[in-house]
Amino acid sequence: MYQKEAINQIITNQTRWNNLVEKNLVKSPEQQKFSVKRVYTPQDIAEYDYLGEAGFPGEYPFTRGIQPTMYRGRFWTMRIYSGFASAEETNERYKYLLEQGITGLSVAFDLPTQIGYDSDDPNSLGEVGKVGVAVDSLADMEAIFDGIPVEKVSASMTINGPAAVLLAMYVAVAEKRGISPSVLTGTIQNDVLKEYIARGTYIFPPNPSMRLFTDTVSYCSQNIPKWNFISVGAYHIREAGATASQEVAFAFSNAIAYIDAALKTGLSVDDFAPSISWIFSADTDLFEEVAKFRAARRLWAKIMKNRFGADSPKSQMLRFHVHTGGSLLTAQQTDNNIVRITWQALAAILGGTQSLATCAKDEAVGLPTEASARLALRTQQLLAYESGATKTADPLGGSYYVEAMTDRIEKEAMEYIAKIDSIGGAMAAIEQGYMQQEMGRSAYLLQKEIENGERTVVGVNMFTQEESQTAEFLTLDPVAGEKQCKRLTELKLKRDKQAVEQSLSALKQAAQGTDNLMPYLIDAAKNYATLGEICGVLRNVFGEYQPDVRL
């Protein structure tokens, strides 16, 4: 990219400059901790091949974005992750947010729903409706989306172990309204591999979980072509303590395992790869995050083209959603979180995200109030309409610093992927605890830096102050769980018991065989079989995953 003579002149002058700086530099622990250079020059990207490594937006290797016009054509989908207590309360919040300008829904489910238990199950006691909405049956799903045009509004669902069941309920909602599933747009997370290493809301062992995944791939490819059957969860890997490079590498290794599994069913890669979507975190280092997104796009395009032989540009594109980092928010001085969220969102936008959810400032202490959820949305709208960040594609492209860091993250991620390949792939690496140990080590080092004061967290280990508790918090109905259980009891009394039993029996037989399970799950959902009953049938056939406590 640069002539050798020009690079040599830069090296000579940089040596002179470094010596001058060193003489006048005041040594301090703060100055010693940086892992990046004081300044970046053309020397750092001397071998850079613009057309091969950057190219143009909308063209391979998609480093600069997957759309030619990026945000000049359309903004990202604006979402706010929401869901709490009952279906009716969640529906009310969704309608409010739609009125305020969100362009897609992002559904949060409570913990019992995430692990396949009904609200009246003893395992659900004290958790119903706490961290998301309780969904026991199709009746709850119908109430959540009551009055919301599912054929027009994209719905993203953060659900993994029972993802196929929740998708079946959503399809049943549409079909009962006379809406063809073929027009539905949205995403189920459906990434159970990351549950084994980062989040823990798994149900079944890996092999039957992969069967549920491939069944949804096949069904969606044929019946719900606009639906994303997976959102590979890089986000939760980062939230569990991974570095930026590990976030990319571990999520990519999981995705490689999913693609391999889908290919074994006889599908062609270009039949399903365009419907693979992603969720990444936006951390606090703005420039590293921008570089991460750029590196991830480029690396994924290379993997799809060179490893899997994907010919379609849509198969090579990394289409991703970003959620600002929830673990980075502080309970101290919660107004500081507004600033953190803003620059995390800016990093996602400068990095070229297709969808974005911004945390609310009070999420470190409780569920967001209506006002804080609105402010989280306004943050996106301000960035979209007033910041100027959307005027051109990849505005930080060409920065010596960002380009050098993009190269570094891609290189480090490739090294991790090669290591996981040598172990035997993601499944083997999970079984051996490799990724868990690597993330644990990174998380420990980060926390150690904070506790030692080597990493500043404003309001926590520096610039602290005594605070009086004046913030408003969303309080849930203390008997919400009891109400949900009563609702479930009433449903069981009025539904067609025989139809439920027949659909569950058919599901069990299919699970014991090799049929695609999605049609059986949809039939059970339409008959108002509960989530717990459906997952109970699958637990009896597949068993439950028991983690190795030695990891």
Side-chain angles (χ1 to χ4, degrees), residues 249-267:
F250 297 166
F252 279 16
S253 289
N254 288 346
I256 289 168
Y258 289 127
I259 293 173
D260 284 336
L263 291 174
K264 288 177 182 177
T265 68
L267 290 169

Side-chain angles (χ1 to χ4, degrees), residues 385-421:
Y385 292 97
E386 297 188 25
S387 72
T390 62
K391 290 182 178 179
T392 188
D394 189 30
L396 293 184
S399 157
Y400 306 134
Y401 179 35
V402 172
E403 295 293 358
M405 195 156 17
T406 299
D407 291 345
R408 174 182 65 79
I409 292 174
E410 181 184 14
K411 179 176 180 292
E412 290 175 356
M414 288 172 62
E415 289 171 351
Y416 272 117
I417 292 169
K419 172 66 175 178
I420 292 167
D421 283 344

Side-chain angles (χ1 to χ4, degrees), residues 235-270:
Y235 177 86
H236 301 97
I237 290 171
R238 187 64 175 274
E239 288 283 272
T243 64
S245 301
Q246 289 171 342
E247 178 186 0
V248 173
F250 297 166
F252 279 16
S253 289
N254 288 346
I256 289 168
Y258 289 127
I259 293 173
D260 284 336
L263 291 174
K264 288 177 182 177
T265 68
L267 290 169
S268 167
V269 67
D270 286 322

Side-chain angles (χ1 to χ4, degrees), residues 109-119 124 127 129 132-136 159-163 166 203 531 535:
F109 298 99
D110 71 358
L111 187 57
T113 302
Q114 292 181 48
I115 52 179
Y117 288 120
D118 286 337
S119 296
S124 303
E127 294 293 339
V133 61
V135 176
D136 292 320
I159 195 75
N160 294 281
L166 274 296
I203 303 174
L531 175 69
C535 289

Side-chain angles (χ1 to χ4, degrees), residues 36-37 39-41 44-45 48 53-54 63-64 285-298 347 350-351 394-410:
V36 299
K37 298 180 181 181
V39 68
Y40 285 75
T41 71
D44 296 289
I45 56 171
Y48 193 65
E53 298 300 309
T63 310
R64 307 201 67 185
D285 188 327
L286 185 141
F287 294 103
E288 183 178 60
E289 292 303 286
V290 173
K292 177 189 75 180
F293 297 129
R294 300 175 83 251
R297 259 195 309 272
R298 185 165 75 200
L350 294 174
D394 189 30
L396 293 184
S399 157
Y400 306 134
Y401 179 35
V402 172
E403 295 293 358
M405 195 156 17
T406 299
D407 291 345
R408 174 182 65 79
I409 292 174
E410 181 184 14

Side-chain angles (χ1 to χ4, degrees), residues 488-507:
L488 181 56
T489 299
E490 292 172 351
L491 170 75
K492 290 179 178 179
L493 289 174
K494 68 181 182 182
R495 67 185 180 176
D496 186 334
K497 185 177 180 181
Q498 184 178 0
V500 171
E501 291 176 351
Q502 288 175 346
S503 61
L504 291 176
S505 177
L507 173 63

Side-chain angles (χ1 to χ4, degrees), residues 456-524:
T456 299
V457 181
V458 174
V460 175
N461 63 359
M462 191 175 287
F463 310 114
T464 59
Q465 64 185 45
E466 292 294 326
E467 295 183 84
S468 58
Q469 191 60 270
T470 58
E472 295 183 8
F473 304 111
L474 179 66
T475 56
L476 299 179
D477 185 346
V479 294
E482 294 177 23
K483 290 180 178 178
Q484 183 67 15
C485 290
K486 182 181 178 182
R487 174 194 183 106
L488 181 56
T489 299
E490 292 172 351
L491 170 75
K492 290 179 178 179
L493 289 174
K494 68 181 182 182
R495 67 185 180 176
D496 186 334
K497 185 177 180 181
Q498 184 178 0
V500 171
E501 291 176 351
Q502 288 175 346
S503 61
L504 291 176
S505 177
L507 173 63
K508 180 177 180 180
Q509 187 174 352
Q512 291 170 335
T514 59
D515 286 357
N516 188 305
L517 295 180
M518 280 303 300
Y520 298 92
L521 294 172
I522 293 170
D523 183 60

Side-chain angles (χ1 to χ4, degrees), residues 197 246 249-250 253 412 415-423 425-441 551:
I197 65 174
Q246 289 171 342
F250 297 166
S253 289
E412 290 175 356
E415 289 171 351
Y416 272 117
I417 292 169
K419 172 66 175 178
I420 292 167
D421 283 344
S422 71
I423 293 171
M427 298 272 278
I430 290 169
E431 290 172 356
Q432 295 181 30
Y434 171 71
M435 289 186 272
Q436 298 94 308
Q437 291 165 6
E438 288 293 303
M439 287 188 297
R441 187 179 295 111
L551 297 180

